[in-house]
Amino acid sequence: MSTQEKINLIGLNRVAMREFLASIDEKPFRADQILKWIHHQGMTDFSTMTNISKVLRQKLEERTCIEAPSIAWEKASKDGTYKWLLSFADGNSVEMVFIPETSRGTLCVSSQVGCALDCKFCSTGKQGFSRNLSTAEIIGQVWLAVRRLSELGVTQKITNIVMMGMGEPLLNFDNVVPAMDLMMEDLAYGLSKHRVTLSTSGVIPAMEKLKEVSQAALAVSLHAPNDEIRSKIVPINKKYPIKQLIAVCRDYFKGQKQRVVMFEYVMLKGVNDQPEHARELAKLLSNVPCKLNLIPFNPFPLSEYECSSPEAITTFQSIIQKKKIHVTIRKTRGDDIDAACGQLIGQFEDRTRRNEKWLKKRGMPGLASIPVVVA
Ligand code: SAH
Ligand code: SF4
């Protein structure tokens, strides 16, 4: 069996691992042992799995593999943030970021190669789209980060994982959900449901489905107080407008104590950052159990927006605060290595040709993609 035909065990959650073992006439409880070898011990070699019979190891060797992405390059920021470009077998690559803080370590994971949604302030969107990542490619990022950080001697462990890298996770639902299962699974990464967050631009039908099958925390990229502004900067708003989005968010954690939706709001100078926008936003969120996170816009080459001034951001915050909504300002990390929100671009062939069209519109038809400096 060639490597391509083998099942990559790294991408099987507990249910899928048990099903697979049953399909090769093995006892399902073996799943627990294999999961621990892969995710706790970081093993990729079946011969090291000493509590598993030789016969089963032989079967696994023949039919399966344990493969993570590989690191194409790594950048370290002076603030301790790391950014990696990760390559997959087909030559595509995505970016992943680790942000250490005093009491937590956040890993930002990608769900797609590029993104098919074209949010105007996001460099991933500008790069276009190639394909979904498989479950193995998503959880493989976590597997790799754990190993690499330990090699580097980084003492801060991964305590939180956010699906806020490249891509819209809810447009890759079937692969993202089992990967998040493994993030929360004791036999794998064992993070609590409060510490695994999916961020979406608001794919309403998938949000409805998600709340039935996953306990993960939810972040929603709102970015505007009304449809007029939101449709201009987050085009998917034309399909799933604000009123419907807010209604889903209001009920998302109904009956679950202390769980609220986190709204993200990128601060764009002169676009969505005026006091009247803050007042409109406070009204919109008044009956929604939520927190609001203001994200200073992170520029990228040829981006057409500017970040709001620090004064505009704090004025915006205080207007919202007065309405008793919990609102924070996100600290930008890793900006010396372009590791901040919306700056992740990876390397891949854009099947939508959006990047080419966008560069042409910006008067740069000779460039192959958004200019990036690779260390
Ligand atoms: N597709 C998902 C998750 C990935 S983007 C989503 O849109 O939610 C993660 C977060 O970064 C989102 O809130 C997104 O709107 C924000 N973001 C994108 N580009 C940004 C930029 N240039 N500056 C600041 N935040 C940005
Ligand atoms: Fe895609 Fe999210 Fe970027 Fe929008 S902000 S283009 S949904 S990655």
Side-chain angles (χ1 to χ4, degrees), residues 98-304:
F98 177 68
I99 308 155
E101 289 167 274
T102 350
S103 56
R104 58 153 80 189
T106 305
L107 188 70
C108 180
V109 167
S110 292
S111 58
Q112 297 183 307
V113 184
C115 185
L117 305 180
D118 189 14
C119 301
K120 301 301 169 203
F121 47 81
C122 173
S123 62
T124 305
K126 293 297 156 217
Q127 278 288 92
F129 176 72
S130 176
R131 66 171 175 86
N132 280 335
L133 293 183
S134 65
T135 303
E137 290 169 330
I138 299 167
I139 200 68
Q141 296 171 57
V142 182
W143 186 96
L144 188 65
V146 171
R147 262 92 239 159
R148 183 63 191 143
L149 289 169
S150 147
E151 260 172 36
L152 287 164
V154 174
T155 48
Q156 178 59 65
K157 297 269 174 282
I158 297 169
T159 60
N160 295 63
I161 301 178
V162 292
M163 300 297 308
M164 290 187 189
M166 294 168 63
E168 168 47 57
L170 289 186
L171 292 181
N172 185 13
F173 192 92
D174 293 344
N175 293 324
V176 164
V177 169
M180 293 199 305
D181 290 344
L182 283 164
M183 295 169 196
M184 294 182 273
E185 166 65 65
D186 284 342
L187 298 163
Y189 300 96
L191 298 181
S192 97
K193 62 188 180 190
H194 303 285
R195 291 173 177 268
V196 173
T197 303
L198 181 142
S199 175
T200 180
S201 55
V203 187
I204 291 180
M207 290 167 70
E208 303 270 26
K209 236 167 78 184
L210 184 69
K211 75 172 179 198
E212 302 302 325
V213 298
S214 179
Q215 285 289 306
L218 183 73
V220 173
S221 296
L222 190 57
H223 306 318
N226 58 48
D227 283 328
E228 199 194 333
I229 302 175
R230 192 164 193 264
S231 292
K232 278 190 198 139
I233 57 179
V234 182
I236 199 178
N237 188 69
K238 292 181 205 129
K239 199 163 176 192
Y240 304 119
I242 283 194
K243 241 195 178 150
Q244 289 171 28
L245 181 59
I246 296 295
V248 177
C249 294
R250 187 176 300 130
D251 291 342
Y252 196 84
F253 288 119
K254 210 174 190 168
Q256 297 189 53
K257 273 197 197 130
Q258 291 176 338
R259 300 207 79 188
V260 299
V261 171
M262 159 80 80
F263 287 109
E264 295 162 282
Y265 195 102
V266 62
M267 298 299 292
L268 303 169
K269 189 177 195 165
V271 176
N272 62 357
D273 65 344
Q274 299 300 301
E276 72 259 27
H277 299 138
R279 284 189 284 273
E280 200 178 353
L281 184 62
K283 209 163 155 198
L284 184 72
L285 301 183
S286 59
N287 294 319
V288 189
C290 68
K291 285 183 185 167
L292 176 65
N293 197 210
L294 305 178
I295 315 174
F297 169 65
N298 294 306
F300 52 91
L302 307 180
S303 59
E304 50 222 285

